[in-house]
PDB file of all heavy atoms in Angstrom:
ATOM      1  N   PHE U 624      23.582   0.224  11.630  1.00 91.00           N
ATOM      2  CA  PHE U 624      23.270   1.630  11.891  1.00 91.00           C
ATOM      3  C   PHE U 624      24.481   2.525  11.589  1.00 91.00           C
ATOM      4  O   PHE U 624      24.660   3.572  12.206  1.00 91.00           O
ATOM      5  CB  PHE U 624      22.821   1.817  13.340  1.00 91.00           C
ATOM      6  CG  PHE U 624      21.461   1.247  13.631  1.00 91.00           C
ATOM      7  CD1 PHE U 624      21.329  -0.054  14.098  1.00 91.00           C
ATOM      8  CD2 PHE U 624      20.313   1.989  13.397  1.00 91.00           C
ATOM      9  CE1 PHE U 624      20.080  -0.598  14.351  1.00 91.00           C
ATOM     10  CE2 PHE U 624      19.060   1.455  13.638  1.00 91.00           C
ATOM     11  CZ  PHE U 624      18.943   0.157  14.115  1.00 91.00           C
ATOM     12  N   GLY U 625      25.278   2.108  10.635  1.00 88.00           N
ATOM     13  CA  GLY U 625      26.451   2.890  10.280  1.00 88.00           C
ATOM     14  C   GLY U 625      26.103   4.248   9.691  1.00 88.00           C
ATOM     15  O   GLY U 625      25.103   4.403   9.006  1.00 88.00           O
ATOM     16  N   TYR U 626      26.920   5.233  10.011  1.00 90.00           N
ATOM     17  CA  TYR U 626      26.835   6.592   9.450  1.00 90.00           C
ATOM     18  C   TYR U 626      25.517   7.299   9.770  1.00 90.00           C
ATOM     19  O   TYR U 626      24.997   8.048   8.952  1.00 90.00           O
ATOM     20  CB  TYR U 626      27.102   6.564   7.946  1.00 90.00           C
ATOM     21  CG  TYR U 626      28.458   5.996   7.624  1.00 90.00           C
ATOM     22  CD1 TYR U 626      28.600   4.696   7.143  1.00 90.00           C
ATOM     23  CD2 TYR U 626      29.617   6.747   7.849  1.00 90.00           C
ATOM     24  CE1 TYR U 626      29.850   4.156   6.890  1.00 90.00           C
ATOM     25  CE2 TYR U 626      30.878   6.207   7.601  1.00 90.00           C
ATOM     26  CZ  TYR U 626      30.985   4.924   7.117  1.00 90.00           C
ATOM     27  OH  TYR U 626      32.226   4.389   6.871  1.00 90.00           O
ATOM     28  N   CYS U 627      25.001   7.051  10.966  1.00 91.00           N
ATOM     29  CA  CYS U 627      23.929   7.898  11.516  1.00 91.00           C
ATOM     30  C   CYS U 627      24.661   9.014  12.249  1.00 91.00           C
ATOM     31  O   CYS U 627      24.926   8.919  13.452  1.00 91.00           O
ATOM     32  CB  CYS U 627      23.030   7.111  12.454  1.00 91.00           C
ATOM     33  SG  CYS U 627      22.074   5.821  11.642  1.00 91.00           S
ATOM     34  N   THR U 628      25.011  10.040  11.551  1.00 91.00           N
ATOM     35  CA  THR U 628      25.962  11.027  12.055  1.00 91.00           C
ATOM     36  C   THR U 628      25.400  11.945  13.132  1.00 91.00           C
ATOM     37  O   THR U 628      26.158  12.685  13.765  1.00 91.00           O
ATOM     38  CB  THR U 628      26.500  11.887  10.896  1.00 91.00           C
ATOM     39  OG1 THR U 628      25.401  12.511  10.223  1.00 91.00           O
ATOM     40  CG2 THR U 628      27.277  11.040   9.908  1.00 91.00           C
ATOM     41  N   ALA U 629      24.089  11.904  13.375  1.00 94.00           N
ATOM     42  CA  ALA U 629      23.503  12.715  14.444  1.00 94.00           C
ATOM     43  C   ALA U 629      23.197  11.878  15.686  1.00 94.00           C
ATOM     44  O   ALA U 629      22.809  12.434  16.723  1.00 94.00           O
ATOM     45  CB  ALA U 629      22.227  13.385  13.953  1.00 94.00           C
ATOM     46  N   LEU U 630      23.383  10.561  15.621  1.00 95.00           N
ATOM     47  CA  LEU U 630      23.037   9.673  16.730  1.00 95.00           C
ATOM     48  C   LEU U 630      23.916   9.956  17.941  1.00 95.00           C
ATOM     49  O   LEU U 630      25.139   9.894  17.856  1.00 95.00           O
ATOM     50  CB  LEU U 630      23.178   8.218  16.283  1.00 95.00           C
ATOM     51  CG  LEU U 630      22.630   7.135  17.207  1.00 95.00           C
ATOM     52  CD1 LEU U 630      21.144   7.342  17.463  1.00 95.00           C
ATOM     53  CD2 LEU U 630      22.871   5.749  16.611  1.00 95.00           C
ATOM     54  N   GLU U 631      23.263  10.236  19.074  1.00 97.00           N
ATOM     55  CA  GLU U 631      23.988  10.615  20.286  1.00 97.00           C
ATOM     56  C   GLU U 631      23.945   9.555  21.370  1.00 97.00           C
ATOM     57  O   GLU U 631      24.831   9.507  22.216  1.00 97.00           O
ATOM     58  CB  GLU U 631      23.417  11.932  20.850  1.00 97.00           C
ATOM     59  CG  GLU U 631      23.591  13.122  19.908  1.00 97.00           C
ATOM     60  CD  GLU U 631      23.020  14.400  20.497  1.00 97.00           C
ATOM     61  OE1 GLU U 631      22.444  14.339  21.613  1.00 97.00           O
ATOM     62  OE2 GLU U 631      23.143  15.460  19.846  1.00 97.00           O
ATOM     63  N   SER U 632      22.913   8.717  21.363  1.00 97.00           N
ATOM     64  CA  SER U 632      22.730   7.765  22.453  1.00 97.00           C
ATOM     65  C   SER U 632      22.239   6.424  21.932  1.00 97.00           C
ATOM     66  O   SER U 632      21.302   6.368  21.140  1.00 97.00           O
ATOM     67  CB  SER U 632      21.724   8.331  23.459  1.00 97.00           C
ATOM     68  OG  SER U 632      21.351   7.363  24.414  1.00 97.00           O
ATOM     69  N   VAL U 633      22.884   5.336  22.393  1.00 97.00           N
ATOM     70  CA  VAL U 633      22.466   3.977  22.049  1.00 97.00           C
ATOM     71  C   VAL U 633      22.353   3.169  23.332  1.00 97.00           C
ATOM     72  O   VAL U 633      23.281   3.150  24.143  1.00 97.00           O
ATOM     73  CB  VAL U 633      23.458   3.289  21.095  1.00 97.00           C
ATOM     74  CG1 VAL U 633      22.991   1.871  20.784  1.00 97.00           C
ATOM     75  CG2 VAL U 633      23.608   4.080  19.801  1.00 97.00           C
ATOM     76  N   THR U 634      21.200   2.500  23.522  1.00 98.00           N
ATOM     77  CA  THR U 634      20.967   1.683  24.714  1.00 98.00           C
ATOM     78  C   THR U 634      20.563   0.279  24.300  1.00 98.00           C
ATOM     79  O   THR U 634      19.696   0.095  23.438  1.00 98.00           O
ATOM     80  CB  THR U 634      19.852   2.290  25.590  1.00 98.00           C
ATOM     81  OG1 THR U 634      20.228   3.607  25.986  1.00 98.00           O
ATOM     82  CG2 THR U 634      19.604   1.438  26.831  1.00 98.00           C
ATOM     83  N   PHE U 635      21.191  -0.706  24.928  1.00 97.00           N
ATOM     84  CA  PHE U 635      20.855  -2.111  24.703  1.00 97.00           C
ATOM     85  C   PHE U 635      20.177  -2.630  25.973  1.00 97.00           C
ATOM     86  O   PHE U 635      20.809  -2.686  27.042  1.00 97.00           O
ATOM     87  CB  PHE U 635      22.111  -2.920  24.383  1.00 97.00           C
ATOM     88  CG  PHE U 635      22.841  -2.437  23.159  1.00 97.00           C
ATOM     89  CD1 PHE U 635      23.853  -1.494  23.266  1.00 97.00           C
ATOM     90  CD2 PHE U 635      22.498  -2.907  21.900  1.00 97.00           C
ATOM     91  CE1 PHE U 635      24.520  -1.033  22.134  1.00 97.00           C
ATOM     92  CE2 PHE U 635      23.164  -2.451  20.766  1.00 97.00           C
ATOM     93  CZ  PHE U 635      24.170  -1.502  20.883  1.00 97.00           C
ATOM     94  N   GLU U 636      18.892  -3.005  25.885  1.00 97.00           N
ATOM     95  CA  GLU U 636      18.116  -3.380  27.055  1.00 97.00           C
ATOM     96  C   GLU U 636      18.491  -4.756  27.612  1.00 97.00           C
ATOM     97  O   GLU U 636      18.208  -5.054  28.778  1.00 97.00           O
ATOM     98  CB  GLU U 636      16.618  -3.371  26.703  1.00 97.00           C
ATOM     99  CG  GLU U 636      16.075  -2.010  26.309  1.00 97.00           C
ATOM    100  CD  GLU U 636      15.868  -1.105  27.516  1.00 97.00           C
ATOM    101  OE1 GLU U 636      16.008  -1.580  28.656  1.00 97.00           O
ATOM    102  OE2 GLU U 636      15.557   0.080  27.308  1.00 97.00           O
ATOM    103  N   GLY U 637      19.103  -5.589  26.806  1.00 97.00           N
ATOM    104  CA  GLY U 637      19.467  -6.928  27.262  1.00 97.00           C
ATOM    105  C   GLY U 637      20.833  -7.331  26.755  1.00 97.00           C
ATOM    106  O   GLY U 637      21.618  -6.490  26.281  1.00 97.00           O
ATOM    107  N   ASP U 638      21.144  -8.606  26.827  1.00 97.00           N
ATOM    108  CA  ASP U 638      22.422  -9.111  26.316  1.00 97.00           C
ATOM    109  C   ASP U 638      22.518  -8.832  24.820  1.00 97.00           C
ATOM    110  O   ASP U 638      21.527  -8.888  24.097  1.00 97.00           O
ATOM    111  CB  ASP U 638      22.538 -10.607  26.566  1.00 97.00           C
ATOM    112  CG  ASP U 638      22.494 -10.964  28.049  1.00 97.00           C
ATOM    113  OD1 ASP U 638      22.665 -10.047  28.880  1.00 97.00           O
ATOM    114  OD2 ASP U 638      22.285 -12.153  28.365  1.00 97.00           O
TER     115      ASP U 638
END
Side-chain angles (χ1 to χ4, degrees):
F624 289 92
Y626 301 103
C627 294
T628 57
L630 191 58
E631 297 180 357
S632 170
V633 179
T634 301
F635 300 92
E636 297 284 352
D638 299 345

